[in-house]
């Protein structure tokens, strides 16, 4: 699960990086407790000696404990204690009960702040370990596609709905096989770890079957068998339940200017050719993975023209169901047409930026996208 990287940028799984908004650069955190100390000293000097502001100093180690290292917190606490003594002497109250109470409070808060900083740093170390495990899971499950597969250029985007997540129920994979390029994109019903588990199982099945099965329809059949086996293993009474995955499987032969698409209850791909965007509705749609046993036959691939210069846009419903503040869905086809004249990198970046702008940078569902462009027979080097 993804935690946003530090440094003012958010990186999605596809590799795109979005600069932080202006003014979002990190201010050195040690300045905050130092500023509290400086303001307190200035107020103390500027006010009559009868005014006591030394108790305000204890805010500095509290802030330090939440933001900076243990050693720096200890230094701030020591400075606060020393300044408390100096202010008591300056106000000629040294030895008075109020002076002793103020000094004891400063020392107690300083010690408590150091302990709090130790606990925080321990938890941050544990969180860094969780990050590393999550990133390893991300690389295994959602590997960024290679920029080129034979005569195809490929780019991807994955935006997790949860701010703390890198992966979820959306999945994709692109492979170069003996039968040409084979591509998977899908959306597991549900959220959280169960959806991630199903995503991992189906992606692993696709990676194996794509190299072995002679047709893309048979690859879909193998994935259906895997899904039903997993459902039966978890609960034999749950056959044909609501546990299913919508998906598109695409096969793009190297020597033929076509693409073969298996529709499994998933949003139709968009074909972009000469600036025109058309949805490729299925002739014979199949059922989502996990429900295919209801019909008992393999899904039938649909063949479409896919010539050099054309692009195929595969996506999950997070790209078409994202709404703006007025409840309007994101117009993916319009966005794709608007950026169709750009190179593939610019095209993907433009569509991604349009989505985040439309949704106010807050997505209600994971959103995955694959853009595939058929290159000329002798493409220039990337």
């Amino acid at each position: 699960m993804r935690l946003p990287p530090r440094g003012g940028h958010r990186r999605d799984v596809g590799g795109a990086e979005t600069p932080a908004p202006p003014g979002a650069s990190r201010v050195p955190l040690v300045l905050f407790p130092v500023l509290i100390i400086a303001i307190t000293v200035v107020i103390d000097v500027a006010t009559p000696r009868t005014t006591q502001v030394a108790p305000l100093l204890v805010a500095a180690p509290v802030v330090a404990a939440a933001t900076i290292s243990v050693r720096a917190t200890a230094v701030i606490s020591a400075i606060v204690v020393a300044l408390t003594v100096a202010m008591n002497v300056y106000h000629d109250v040294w030895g008075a009960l109020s002076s002793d109470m103020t000094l004891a409070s400063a020392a107690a808060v300083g010690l408590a702040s150091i302990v709090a900083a130790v606990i925080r740093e321990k938890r941050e170390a544990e969180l860094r370990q969780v990050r590393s495990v999550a990133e390893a899971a991300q690389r295994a499950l959602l590997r960024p596609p290679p920029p080129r597969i034979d005569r195809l250029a490929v780019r991807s985007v994955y935006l997790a709905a949860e701010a703390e997540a890198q992966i979820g129920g959306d999945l994709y994979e692109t492979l170069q096989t003996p039968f040409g390029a084979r591509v998977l994109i899908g959306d597991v019903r549900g959220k959280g770890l169960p959806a991630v588990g199903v995503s991992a199982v189906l992606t692993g099945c696709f990676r194996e079957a794509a190299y072995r099965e002679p047709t893309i329809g048979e690859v879909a059949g193998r994935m259906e068998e895997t899904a039903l086996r997993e459902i039966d293993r978890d609960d034999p009474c749950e056959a044909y339940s609501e546990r299913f995955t919508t998906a598109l499987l695409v096969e793009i032969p190297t020597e033929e200017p076509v693409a073969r698409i298996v529709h499994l209850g998933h949003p139709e791909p968009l074909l972009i050719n000469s600036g025109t965007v058309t949805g490729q509705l299925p002739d014979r749609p199949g059922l989502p993975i996990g429900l295919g046993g209801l019909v008992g036959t393999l899904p039938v691939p649909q063949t479409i023209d896919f010539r050099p210069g054309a692009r195929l846009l595969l996506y999950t419903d997070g790209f078409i169901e994202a709404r703006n503040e007025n409840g309007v869905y994101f117009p993916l086809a319009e966005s794709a047409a608007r950026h169709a004249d750009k190179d593939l990198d610019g095209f993907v970046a433009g569509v991604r930026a349009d989505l985040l702008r439309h949704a106010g940078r807050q997505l209600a569902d994971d959103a995955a996208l694959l853009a595939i462009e058929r290159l000329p027979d002798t493409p220039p080097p990337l």
Side-chain angles (χ1 to χ4, degrees):
M1 296 184 178
R2 184 164 208 158
L3 294 167
R6 297 187 177 189
H9 293 77
R10 174 181 178 180
R11 185 178 293 276
D12 61 55
V13 176
E17 188 172 90
T18 303
S25 59
R26 172 168 290 186
V27 177
L29 295 177
V30 73
L31 290 181
F32 292 106
V34 170
L35 187 61
I36 291 172
I37 292 173
I39 291 174
T40 303
V41 171
V42 169
I43 293 174
D44 188 72
V45 171
T47 55
R49 290 197 174 193
T50 56
T51 304
Q52 281 277 12
V53 296
L56 297 178
L57 288 171
V58 297
V62 172
V63 172
T67 55
I68 57 180
S69 68
V70 173
R71 181 176 298 181
T73 300
V75 171
I76 292 293
S77 299
I79 291 173
V80 166
V81 171
L83 284 174
T84 300
V85 172
M87 287 183 178
N88 287 337
V89 172
Y90 174 75
H91 288 284
D92 198 20
V93 293
W94 180 252
L97 179 61
S98 61
S99 169
D100 294 343
M101 293 294 292
T102 301
L103 182 59
S105 297
V109 171
L111 288 173
S113 297
I114 294 171
V115 172
V118 170
I119 295 172
R120 176 182 56 82
E121 287 202 341
K122 181 180 179 181
R123 289 181 176 176
E124 286 183 347
E126 293 173 350
L127 183 58
R128 284 192 293 271
Q129 185 177 8
V130 171
R131 285 176 187 268
S132 65
V133 172
E135 289 173 357
Q138 171 197 319
R139 288 191 294 270
L141 180 57
L142 282 177
R143 301 180 299 197
R148 178 178 295 172
I149 299 178
D150 196 29
R151 297 174 186 173
L152 303 174
V154 184
R155 300 293 184 271
S156 68
V157 171
Y158 190 107
L159 297 171
E162 298 293 334
E164 298 293 320
Q166 278 189 352
I167 54 178
D170 289 4
L171 61 148
Y172 59 74
E173 183 60 285
T174 56
L175 301 171
Q176 176 64 56
T177 75
F179 312 101
R182 285 182 167 176
V183 182
L184 163 71
I185 191 166
D187 186 357
V188 179
R189 185 187 183 280
K191 297 181 180 295
L193 290 178
V196 174
V198 173
S199 179
V201 169
L202 292 180
T203 303
C205 176
F206 174 79
R207 288 170 180 165
E208 178 68 20
Y211 287 99
R212 293 179 176 272
E213 300 299 335
T215 70
I216 195 68
E218 289 171 298
V219 174
R222 284 280 302 276
M223 295 180 69
E224 177 68 26
E225 292 173 4
T226 298
L228 292 180
R229 185 168 58 246
E230 289 296 310
I231 292 172
D232 185 67
R233 186 186 67 175
D234 293 342
D235 186 351
C237 300
E238 205 175 331
Y240 311 130
S241 69
E242 292 187 353
R243 297 174 58 185
F244 59 83
T245 301
T246 67
L248 283 174
L249 278 66
V250 182
E251 179 180 88
I252 305 174
T254 301
E255 303 300 333
E256 299 179 68
V258 299
R260 301 185 184 101
I261 306 171
V262 173
H263 296 258
L264 301 172
H266 199 76
E268 71 276 6
L270 300 179
L271 181 65
I272 305 164
N273 199 351
S274 301
T276 301
V277 180
T278 54
Q280 302 301 300
L281 293 171
D283 296 328
R284 297 177 62 183
L287 292 176
I289 297 171
L291 299 178
L294 292 171
V295 295
T297 59
L298 292 177
V300 178
Q302 175 185 4
T303 301
I304 65 171
D305 286 336
F306 190 45
R307 301 183 179 278
R311 292 173 180 172
L312 197 60
L313 194 61
L314 315 179
Y315 53 92
T316 60
D317 56 11
F319 262 90
I320 56 174
E321 293 182 357
R323 305 190 191 198
N324 62 13
E325 58 186 8
N326 298 320
V328 177
Y329 290 112
F330 176 61
L332 177 59
E334 293 179 15
S335 175
R338 183 161 52 251
H339 301 287
D341 60 340
K342 300 178 180 178
D343 63 20
L344 195 58
D345 287 311
F347 170 79
V348 169
V351 172
R352 179 184 185 277
D354 285 351
L355 173 69
L356 293 176
R357 190 181 306 112
H358 180 88
R361 307 190 69 83
Q362 182 60 50
L363 299 177
D365 193 9
D366 298 341
L369 179 143
L370 285 174
I372 305 169
E373 179 176 347
R374 185 183 281 277
L375 301 171
D377 291 343
T378 54
L382 287 177

